[in-house]
Amino acid sequence: MIVVVKIGTSSVTTADGSIDEQAVAKLCAEVATLRARGVGVVVVSSGAVTAGVAALQLPGGRPSDSTTLQALSAIGQHRLMRVYDEALGRLGLLAGQVLLAPLDFGERRQYLHARATLVRLVDLGVVPVVNENDAVADDEIRFGDNDRLAALVANLLAADLLVLLTDTAGLFTADPRTSVDASLVEEVGEIGAELERAAGGPGSVGGSGGMASKLAAARMASWSGVRAVIAGARRPGVLVDAVDRVPGVGTVVSPKPRTLGARKLWIAFALDPVGRIVVDDGARRALVEREASLLAAGVVAVEGDFVPDDAVEIVGLDGLVFAKGLAGLAAATATSWVGRSSAELAPGLAREVVHRDDLVVLVGAPGSGARR
Ligand code: GLU
C-alpha cells in the first residue's frame, strides 16, 4: 500500500513563518506508525518559500514578486528538509528529498525516471519528501500550489490513498469561520459546481491552495482511481485514521472506476487552457462515445490564440466544457478549417484539430481550475 500525504504551508510553519518543528514531528510520528505496518508513505510538503522569507527577514515583509519568492525557496527548502530529516531520524527513518516541476510530468522519460526513483526510495524504506522545484520551475507553468503536485504524485505512483492535510477539519457546507451552521462534508462522490462554490477561494496568506485547490486535487485523484481524504493536520492520529477509514476523519472523495493515465491527467488538470473549440453534437458524440479525434468538420467555432500543443477546452453547443486536449494546429488554421470535411483539405495536412491521443473526455468535470 502506498499513501501520499500532503501538508500545507499553514500547517508546517508558525505565525512568524519559521518551520513548525512540532507539527513536522507529529506528522513524522504518524508516518513512522504506517511504515512499521509496511505501508509506503510519500510526503509532499510545502513551506519552503515561507521558511525562506522568515529566514532572510527582508524589510517590508513577504515579497510579492515571483522571482524573489522562487529565490527565497532555495533558502527555505533545505531548512525544511533538515527538520524532516531530524524528525524522521529520531524515529529511525531516513528522509529523501525529491523536487519536481510540471515538465517532469509532461515529458514521458522524466515521468518514468521520477516514478522509478520514488518507488525505489519507498522500497528502500526511505520517506521521500517531495516539493515543487520552486527555485528553478518556469513561473509561467508552475503548479503554484502543492495540492495539484500531490495529486499528480499519487497518480504517478498509483497510490491507494492521497491525504491532503490542512488547517481545517475538511470540507464544510459553508465557511466554518463565518457560519455557525457549517457542517463537515464526510463523503463526496462526484465533485460538482455546488461543492466548488462551498469550497470558495484561496485560503491562508502563506499557502496558495485553499479548499478549492484541495477539491481540484481530490478530483484529479478521483480520476486517477485514488481515494482522497481532506483532513485537519492537527487532528491526533489523522494520517493513520485516514488509512483505517475511521468515520469523520475528514472529507473523503471516492475514486472513479474509470481512470486516466498520467499524461492525460496532466493534460486535463495541470495545464491551463489557452483557447476553446466549440463543436457540434455529432462531434461531441464521436469524442465521448468513440474517443475519436476531433476533426475540422465537427468544429463550429474557435476561440483564443493558441499554437500547436497548447491546451484547449472542447465545448458543446450547450456551452459546457466536456473535454480538453492539446491543439494539433494553430488557432488561425483551425479557424480557416471550421466545418470543412477532411476531403476538402489539402492532402498531407494534419487533419486532426485535436488528436485522440491528446484528448481527454471529462464529462462531469467542467474546467480544470488550473493556474498558468
Ligand atoms: N512549493 C511551495 C513551498 O514549498 C508551496 C506551494 C503551496 O502549496 O502553497 O513553499
Side-chain angles (χ1 to χ4, degrees), residues 23-38:
V24 173
K26 173 195 180 290
L27 175 64
C28 290
E30 296 180 26
V31 169
T33 303
L34 290 180
R35 281 269 17 159
R37 283 199 208 164

Side-chain angles (χ1 to χ4, degrees), residues 338-358:
V338 164
R340 291 168 73 179
S341 70
S342 301
E344 288 175 66
L345 298 167
L349 284 178
R351 296 205 177 95
E352 292 94 5
V353 178
V354 179
H355 191 277
R356 58 186 298 170
D357 292 347
D358 299 331

Side-chain angles (χ1 to χ4, degrees), residues 9 46-49 131-132 134 144-146 207-208:
T9 298
S46 304
V49 172
N131 196 357
E132 179 163 9
D134 292 310
D145 73 68
N146 276 349
S208 54

Side-chain angles (χ1 to χ4, degrees), residues 120-262:
R120 183 61 52 87
L121 282 169
V122 171
D123 287 349
L124 290 169
V126 174
V127 180
V129 181
V130 176
N131 196 357
E132 179 163 9
N133 196 350
D134 292 310
V136 299
D138 178 348
D139 190 47
E140 287 293 298
I141 57 164
R142 280 177 75 208
F143 291 120
D145 73 68
N146 276 349
D147 297 322
R148 191 170 302 123
L149 171 63
L152 285 167
V153 168
N155 169 271
L156 179 82
L157 295 170
D160 300 273
L161 177 66
L162 168 67
V163 184
L164 299 163
L165 295 178
T166 184
D167 48 10
T168 59
L171 176 67
F172 285 81
T173 49
D175 188 339
R177 289 168 299 192
T178 52
S179 168
V180 282
D181 299 332
S183 60
L184 180 72
V185 179
E186 287 198 23
E187 182 102 39
V188 175
E190 185 82 30
I191 298 172
E194 205 173 304
L195 266 184
E196 299 212 352
R197 258 196 308 281
S204 50
V205 181
S208 54
M211 199 47 78
S213 143
K214 275 167 197 65
L215 267 191
R219 189 168 61 173
M220 285 175 66
S222 167
W223 280 93
S224 313
V226 178
R227 189 167 68 97
V229 178
I230 304 169
R234 286 184 190 84
R235 187 185 199 274
V238 65
L239 185 58
V240 179
D241 285 355
V243 170
D244 290 343
R245 298 175 185 250
V246 171
V249 64
T251 301
V252 178
V253 182
S254 326
K256 277 188 180 297
R258 179 200 149 218
T259 61
L260 295 171

